[in-house]
C-alpha cells in the first residue's frame, strides 16, 4: 500500500483538492496514491478548499463532467486533455412509469449514454487524471464488468497501458467490451472479492510498480467521479435536490458520494437546504447491506454472490457501513429484489419509457416498485431512480423471452390471421 507523505506536495495539480482525510478518525495526509489511514486503517477521501462556485460558472462549462471541475480533484485545464469526457447524460421525465407505479413525479437518470455505456466512465475519468499526476504508466482495476471496459477505453484515449482483472465467469458482452480497446484482460477464478484481494496483493509487488489501480490506490480520487451524478441531477432539475432517490449498491461508494455531493451543493449555496431521502437497492442474491439494515445491525456480514446482477455482485462491500448510516440518517431504507423481480423491472422500464437497462437498473426500478407498494417511499415526492448501465451488456437476463411475436408468410392475409 502506498502511503501519503506528511510533507506538503507542491508538484501535483488537483485543483480544489487540499488533502486526503480519514473518514473514521479525521487524520489528514498530503495528496498521494494512498487509500487507507496509517493511524486507524480507515478509508481515505478527498478534502477540499472550495473557492467561490456559482451556477453561472458551471453553466459556462462543457456539457460533460468537466463543467464541475471546480468541485473535483482535477486541474483547471482538464477538459483540454485527451479523455472520454463522460457525463451530462439524460434525466428522463418518466411519466409513463410514474403512472404505472402510482408516483406523482419520477425521473430516470439514465447513465447508459456514457461513452462505454455505464456510469463507470465518470469515476475512471477522475482516476486517469490522478494517474497522470502520479506518473503512472498503467491503468488497472478489479471489476465486475463495466469498470473493466471503462478503464481499457480511457487508457487507450489517454495513451496509457491497461491491465484489468475480472471474474472469469463474467457476461460475454462485458468481456468483449473490455477486450476490444486493447490492453490485457485477465480472468480470475473466483468471485469479484477474490479478484479484488488479488489486486491488493499485486499493488505491493514489483509487477504492479507504477500501476494505478483505479479502485484501490487511486480509490479516493476515482470515487469522487460519482459526485457528478448528483451535481447533474440537481442542475437538470433546475438546481434543486429531489425529495428521494433510489441508488444501486455494489461497493456502496456511488451512494456515499451522491450524498456527499448533495451536502456540498447545500454548503456552497447552489441549492436550497432541504431534507432528502436516500434509498439503497441490492439484488437479493448479493444483499449484505440490505440484510444488515433489516436486522438493525451496523456491521456488514460478507456473502457469496449468487445473482444475475453481476455488476452489483460484491459480497463484502467496502462502503456498506456508510450506506447504512446514510439511509438511516436521511430517513431512507435499504431493500433488495429477486432475480425474477429484476427481469420484470427491466421489462417494465423498457415497456414504459423505452429505456433498456442492464440488471443493475432492474434492481433500482424493482426496489422502487417495492418501496412504493410498501408505503416506505412517498408517492407525492419528487423521485429520481438511477439506471447505471445499458441492457445490451446483460442480454442473457432477458433473452429467454426474446422471440418474434409471430412468424408469417410475406402476405397481408397471413398478417391478418396472425394479429387476429
Amino acid at each position: 500500500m502506498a502511503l501519503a507523505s506528511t510533507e506538503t506536495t507542491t508538484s501535483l495539480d488537483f485543483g480544489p483538492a487540499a488533502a486526503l482525510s480519514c473518514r473514521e478518525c479525521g487524520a489528514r495526509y498530503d495528496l498521494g496514491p494512498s487509500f487507507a489511514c496509517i493511524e486507524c486503517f480507515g478509508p481515505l477521501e478527498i478534502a477540499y478548499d472550495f473557492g467561490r462556485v456559482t451556477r453561472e460558472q458551471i453553466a459556462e462549462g462543457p456539457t460533460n463532467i468537466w463543467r464541475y471541475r471546480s468541485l473535483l480533484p482535477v486541474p483547471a485545464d482538464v477538459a483540454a486533455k485527451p479523455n472520454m469526457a463522460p457525463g451530462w447524460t439524460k434525466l428522463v421525465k418518466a411519466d409513463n412509469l410514474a403512472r404505472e407505479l402510482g408516483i406523482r413525479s419520477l425521473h430516470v437518470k439514465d447513465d447508459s449514454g456514457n461513452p462505454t455505456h455505464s456510469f463507470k466512465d465518470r469515476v475512471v475519468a477522475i482516476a486517469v487524471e490522478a494517474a497522470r499526476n502520479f506518473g503512472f504508466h498503467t491503468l488497472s482495476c478489479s471489476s465486475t464488468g463495466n469498470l473493466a471496459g471503462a478503464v481499457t477505453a480511457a487508457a487507450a484515449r489517454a495513451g496509457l497501458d491497461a491491465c484489468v482483472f475480472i471474474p472469469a465467469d463474467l457476461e460475454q458482452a462485458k468481456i468483449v467490451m473490455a477486450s476490444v480497446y486493447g490492453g490485457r484482460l485477465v480472468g480470475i477464478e473466483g468471485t469479484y472479492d477474490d479478484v479484488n484481494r488479488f489486486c491488493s496483493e499485486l499493488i505491493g509487488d514489483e509487477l504492479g510498480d507504477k500501476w494505478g489501480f483505479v479502485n484501490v490506490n487511486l480509490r479516493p480520487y476515482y470515487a469522487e467521479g460519482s459526485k457528478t451524478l448528483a451535481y447533474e441531477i440537481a442542475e437538470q432539475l433546475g438546481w434543486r435536490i429531489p425529495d428521494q432517490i433510489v441508488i444501486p449498491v455494489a461497493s456502496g461508494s456511488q451512494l456515499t458520494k451522491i450524498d456527499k455531493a448533495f451536502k456540498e451543493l447545500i454548503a456552497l449555496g447552489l441549492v436550497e437546504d432541504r431534507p432528502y431521502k436516500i434509498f439503497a437497492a441490492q439484488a437479493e442474491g448479493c444483499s449484505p447491506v440490505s440484510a444488515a439494515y433489516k436486522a438493525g445491525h451496523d456491521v456488514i456480514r460478507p456473502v457469496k454472490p449468487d445473482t444475475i446482477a453481476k455488476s452489483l455482485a460484491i459480497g463484502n462491500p467496502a462502503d456498506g457501513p456508510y450506506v447504512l448510516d446514510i439511509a438511516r440518517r436521511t430517513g431512507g431504507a435499504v431493500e433488495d429484489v429477486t432475480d425474477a423481480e429484476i427481469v420484470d423491472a427491466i421489462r417494465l422500464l423498457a415497456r414504459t419509457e423505452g429505456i433498456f437497462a442492464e440488471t443493475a437498473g432492474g434492481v433500482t426500478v424493482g426496489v422502487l416498485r417495492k418501496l412504493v407498494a410498501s408505503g416506505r417511499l412517498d408517492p407525492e415526492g419528487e423521485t429520481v431512480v438511477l439506471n447505471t448501465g445499458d441492457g445490451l451488456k446483460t442480454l442473457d437476463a432477458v433473452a429467454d423471452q426474446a422471440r418474434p411475436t409471430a412468424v408469417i408468410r410475406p402476405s397481408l392475409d397471413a398478417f391478418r390471421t396472425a394479429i387476429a
Side-chain angles (χ1 to χ4, degrees):
M1 176 181 69
L3 298 176
S5 169
T6 56
E7 300 178 358
T8 303
T9 302
T10 58
S11 60
L12 305 178
D13 185 0
F14 284 102
L20 293 173
S21 176
C22 177
R23 290 164 71 177
E24 291 295 323
C25 73
R28 287 168 73 96
Y29 303 90
D30 289 338
L31 296 167
S34 311
F35 60 97
C37 175
I38 61 176
E39 300 293 332
C40 71
F41 300 104
L44 299 179
E45 68 174 354
I46 306 294
Y48 295 91
D49 286 335
F50 291 129
R52 182 172 179 267
V53 182
T54 68
R55 297 178 183 179
E56 291 74 22
Q57 289 171 346
I58 291 171
E60 290 173 357
T63 52
N64 54 54
I65 64 170
W66 305 134
R67 69 196 287 111
Y68 308 110
R69 61 191 178 277
S70 57
L71 302 172
L72 297 168
V74 295
D77 64 349
V78 62
K81 298 181 179 182
N83 60 70
M84 302 297 284
W88 203 247
T89 55
K90 293 180 181 179
L91 184 69
V92 179
K93 195 170 187 301
D95 291 339
N96 297 328
L97 180 59
R99 281 193 296 271
E100 183 104 4
L101 300 181
I103 300 174
R104 180 185 63 82
S105 176
L106 176 63
H107 289 82
V108 177
K109 181 57 172 172
D110 184 13
D111 241 26
S112 65
N114 276 310
T116 68
H117 307 288
S118 89
F119 91 95
K120 292 295 187 180
D121 290 316
R122 298 175 181 271
V123 290
V124 171
I126 308 297
V128 165
E129 293 311 309
R132 283 179 170 138
N133 254 313
F134 299 135
F136 292 155
H137 57 65
T138 299
L139 210 60
S140 186
C141 71
S142 52
S143 174
T144 58
N146 285 325
L147 181 57
V151 165
T152 52
R157 176 74 177 129
L160 298 171
D161 292 332
C163 184
V164 299
F165 301 88
I166 59 172
D169 66 346
L170 205 60
E171 299 103 329
Q172 184 62 24
K174 291 179 181 176
I175 292 175
V176 171
M177 173 164 263
S179 64
V180 74
Y181 299 107
R184 287 164 287 178
L185 176 66
V186 181
I188 301 289
E189 296 175 356
T191 67
Y192 169 81
D193 298 290
D194 296 317
V195 178
N196 200 40
R197 280 191 293 271
F198 169 79
C199 288
S200 296
E201 293 176 12
L202 184 55
I203 287 174
D205 190 273
E206 62 180 11
L207 285 171
D209 185 44
K210 290 295 182 181
W211 286 28
F213 290 81
V214 301
N215 49 351
V216 188
N217 62 344
L218 296 179
R219 186 177 181 85
Y221 309 89
Y222 157 91
E224 294 292 290
S226 287
K227 296 195 307 181
T228 61
L229 276 162
Y231 298 151
E232 287 179 21
I233 289 169
E235 185 176 1
Q236 290 169 329
L237 286 175
W239 289 109
R240 66 178 184 272
I241 295 173
D243 296 318
Q244 46 208 7
I245 183 169
V246 183
I247 304 168
V249 168
S251 72
S253 175
Q254 182 185 77
L255 184 146
T256 67
K257 295 308 178 185
I258 287 175
D259 178 60
K260 181 182 181 181
F262 283 161
K263 290 190 290 185
E264 288 174 347
L265 292 176
I266 291 170
L268 290 166
L270 293 170
V271 298
E272 179 187 350
D273 186 357
R274 55 197 293 268
Y276 58 88
K277 294 182 179 182
I278 292 183
F279 296 88
Q282 291 202 291
E284 183 183 78
C286 186
S287 54
V289 185
S290 179
Y293 176 84
K294 292 175 182 179
H297 295 163
D298 296 324
V299 177
I300 308 297
R301 182 179 179 180
V303 301
K304 184 175 181 179
D306 182 18
T307 173
I308 61 171
K310 293 187 177 182
S311 62
L312 303 183
I314 297 179
N316 188 17
D319 287 288
Y322 302 109
V323 171
L324 292 175
D325 292 343
I326 291 167
R328 290 165 177 160
R329 189 195 79 231
T330 64
V334 188
E335 187 54 271
D336 57 82
V337 284
T338 66
D339 282 358
E341 289 173 315
I342 293 169
V343 171
D344 192 50
I346 291 172
R347 294 185 179 281
L348 173 64
L349 181 59
R351 173 171 58 81
T352 56
E353 298 299 340
I355 297 172
F356 185 16
E358 74 158 26
T359 47
V363 170
T364 52
V365 173
V367 165
L368 170 64
R369 179 162 57 181
K370 202 168 183 178
L371 291 169
V372 173
S374 64
R376 287 173 289 172
L377 187 141
D378 181 6
E380 294 300 313
E382 184 171 54
T383 305
V384 173
V385 62
L386 266 57
N387 172 45
T388 53
D390 196 316
L392 293 174
K393 294 186 175 191
T394 56
L395 289 172
D396 288 350
V398 292
D400 63 323
Q401 297 182 35
R403 61 182 63 89
T405 304
V407 177
I408 63 171
R409 300 187 311 277
S411 72
L412 290 176
D413 286 343
F415 180 56
R416 290 190 185 96
T417 300
I419 63 173

